């Protein structure tokens, strides 16, 4: 599936990419996310036409020149391209590589039958992980990366603002770390799922302050994960955090709101983290968490389409009641 111009996508026949110095992967499952919607809307500029998609799992069709991952192996594709040479890569931040980029944004992506990638971008996916579970591994890797910036301690009170796909994964990661998790969303069905997956409670936004005050004896939350991406919820995250608390901005906010409670940032001496993407070790951790049953990914999948139904998948992704949208190839 290619983006032809902002707002226009087409399912096209294109040539199988040459993979002389790379591995060729036959795509089996891809996830659709908000980044894809932003690219289509023109909010994130890309060179056109662009084959979209960065959440891909498939089977190695042709091994790379090193043969590190054999043909027939099921793999998750790390969508981040890094040079391994710049100062950020050498400091351990390949996700911030000065010369790199992202599949589906800066380079042609995984909404295709085949994709050619460097061998070092491939991670083995155990056979007992289902296709639906595999479709959550890439986004889970980014959530693992985000939690690593603000490790949870047993007994912490952690708030998750927004219980979409990432929010439901944060609930599990934080609860498994020993936190008392409070989920916040307007959706009753998403609140129910969060409680099923480990939240101590899940409430509507207008009840958030009272719920946090009750759980913390009026102090505020140790950790607040913002998983919506708007200024309003960033401001709410600041208000819900305790003094010396940590706010993690996972959602990508672009401003345009009424402003932030800046004095509270100072008065509470808050730590703010803006995690971006993930590293290969984060993706490996995500695979291990699903493979061992620590994270339950399957209930978060709410819609499945064939790759030829890409337009329908994108429409479903824009439905606020929908959680994870996957496309599977035949």
């Amino acid at each position: 599936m290619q983006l032809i111009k902002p707002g226009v996508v087409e399912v096209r026949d294109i040539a199988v990419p040459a993979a002389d110095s790379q591995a060729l992967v036959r795509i089996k499952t891809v996830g659709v996310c908000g980044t894809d919607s932003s690219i289509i809307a023109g909010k994130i500029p890309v060179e056109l036409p662009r084959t979209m998609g960065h959440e891909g799992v498939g089977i190695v069709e042709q091994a790379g020149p090193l043969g590190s991952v054999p043909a027939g192996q099921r793999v998750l594709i790390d969508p981040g391209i890094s040079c391994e040479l710049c100062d950020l890569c050498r400091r351990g931040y390949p996700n911030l590589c000065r010369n790199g980029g992202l599949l589906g944004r800066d380079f042609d992506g995984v909404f295709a039958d085949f994709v050619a990638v460097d061998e070092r971008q491939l991670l083995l996916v155990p056979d007992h992980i289902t296709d639906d579970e595999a479709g959550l591994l890439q986004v889970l890797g980014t959530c693992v990366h985000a939690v690593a910036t603000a490790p949870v301690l047993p007994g912490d009170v952690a708030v998750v603002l927004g219980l979409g796909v990432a929010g439901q994964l944060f609930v599990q990661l934080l609860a498994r770390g020993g936190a008392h998790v409070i989920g916040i969303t307007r959706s009753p069905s998403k609140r129910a799922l969060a409680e099923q997956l480990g939240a101590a409670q899940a409430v509507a936004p207008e009840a958030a302050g009272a719920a946090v005050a009750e759980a913390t004896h009026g102090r505020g939350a140790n950790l607040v994960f913002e998983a919506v991406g708007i200024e309003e919820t960033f401001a709410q995250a600041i208000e819900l955090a305790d003094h010396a608390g940590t706010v993690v901005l996972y959602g990508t906010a672009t401003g345009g709101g009424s402003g932030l409670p800046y004095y509270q940032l100072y008065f509470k001496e808050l730590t703010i983290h803006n995690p971006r993407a993930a590293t290969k070790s984060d993706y490996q951790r995500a695979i291990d968490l699903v493979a061992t049953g620590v994270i339950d990914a399957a209930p978060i999948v709410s819609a499945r389409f064939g790759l030829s139904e890409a337009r329908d998948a994108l429409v479903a992704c824009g439905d606020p009641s929908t959680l994870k949208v996957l496309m599977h190839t035949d």
Side-chain angles (χ1 to χ4, degrees), residues 159-246:
V159 172
V160 179
L161 280 163
L163 295 175
V165 175
Q168 300 290 347
L169 294 170
F170 281 132
V171 163
Q172 296 186 67
L173 289 167
L174 295 167
R176 305 306 183 266
H180 176 101
V181 181
I182 301 172
I184 312 295
T185 186
R186 297 192 184 281
S187 167
S189 62
K190 292 178 181 178
R191 293 200 297 266
L193 179 59
E195 291 180 346
Q196 173 189 326
L197 295 176
Q201 61 185 129
V203 300
E206 57 270 20
V212 172
E214 182 179 0
T216 64
H217 305 288
R219 292 192 301 268
N222 305 100
L223 301 167
V224 184
F225 281 74
E226 195 283 335
V228 180
I230 59 175
E231 192 173 283
E232 179 184 355
T233 45
F234 183 11
Q236 188 178 21
I238 294 169
E239 298 290 355
L240 293 174
D242 190 10
H243 291 72
T246 297

Side-chain angles (χ1 to χ4, degrees), residues 4-5 64 85 133 149 203 206 209 239 328:
I4 308 305
K5 63 181 181 179
L85 298 172
E133 291 170 332
T149 68
V203 300
E206 57 270 20
E239 298 290 355
H328 298 296

Side-chain angles (χ1 to χ4, degrees), residues 71-89:
Q73 175 64 54
R74 188 182 187 209
V75 292
L76 168 68
I77 299 171
D78 175 355
I81 309 294
S82 59
C83 70
E84 298 190 332
L85 298 172
C86 71
D87 59 318
L88 288 169
C89 282

Side-chain angles (χ1 to χ4, degrees), residues 59-303:
I59 306 295
V60 175
E61 185 83 2
Q62 175 186 312
L66 299 178
S68 59
V69 182
Q73 175 64 54
R74 188 182 187 209
V75 292
L76 168 68
I77 299 171
D78 175 355
I81 309 294
S82 59
C83 70
E84 298 190 332
L85 298 172
C86 71
D87 59 318
L88 288 169
C89 282
R90 288 185 280 108
R91 287 166 53 198
Y93 298 100
N95 54 312
L96 305 179
C97 176
R98 297 190 191 280
N99 305 310
L102 183 73
L103 292 179
R105 184 189 67 199
D106 308 296
F107 307 91
D108 282 339
V110 299
F111 287 178
D113 290 315
F114 294 92
V115 61
V117 294
D118 193 289
E119 289 172 85
R120 61 192 172 93
Q121 292 173 251
L122 303 180
L123 298 98
L124 308 188
V125 178
D127 291 339
H128 69 273
I129 291 180
T130 68
D131 287 342
D132 275 3
E133 291 170 332
L136 270 293
L137 292 173
Q138 193 278 332
V139 65
L140 176 58
T142 65
C143 292
V144 167
H145 181 76
V147 171
T149 68
V152 61
L153 299 175
D156 279 350
V157 173
V159 172
V160 179
L161 280 163
L163 295 175
V165 175
Q168 300 290 347
L169 294 170
F170 281 132
V171 163
Q172 296 186 67
L173 289 167
L174 295 167
R176 305 306 183 266
H180 176 101
V181 181
I182 301 172
I184 312 295
T185 186
R186 297 192 184 281
S187 167
S189 62
K190 292 178 181 178
R191 293 200 297 266
L193 179 59
E195 291 180 346
Q196 173 189 326
L197 295 176
Q201 61 185 129
V203 300
E206 57 270 20
V212 172
E214 182 179 0
T216 64
H217 305 288
R219 292 192 301 268
N222 305 100
L223 301 167
V224 184
F225 281 74
E226 195 283 335
V228 180
I230 59 175
E231 192 173 283
E232 179 184 355
T233 45
F234 183 11
Q236 188 178 21
I238 294 169
E239 298 290 355
L240 293 174
D242 190 10
H243 291 72
T246 297
V247 174
V248 179
L249 298 177
Y250 178 88
T252 305
T254 57
S258 58
L260 298 172
Y262 291 104
Y263 182 75
Q264 291 298 313
L265 286 171
Y266 152 76
F267 187 70
K268 293 182 176 181
E269 196 172 330
L270 297 179
T271 298
I272 309 294
H273 288 285
N274 269 112
R276 174 178 152 193
T279 66
K280 192 171 182 179
S281 62
D282 297 317
Y283 292 126
Q284 184 59 61
R285 176 65 174 156
I287 293 169
D288 294 341
L289 289 169
V290 174
T292 56
V294 174
I295 296 297
D296 189 1
I300 303 174
V301 177
S302 58

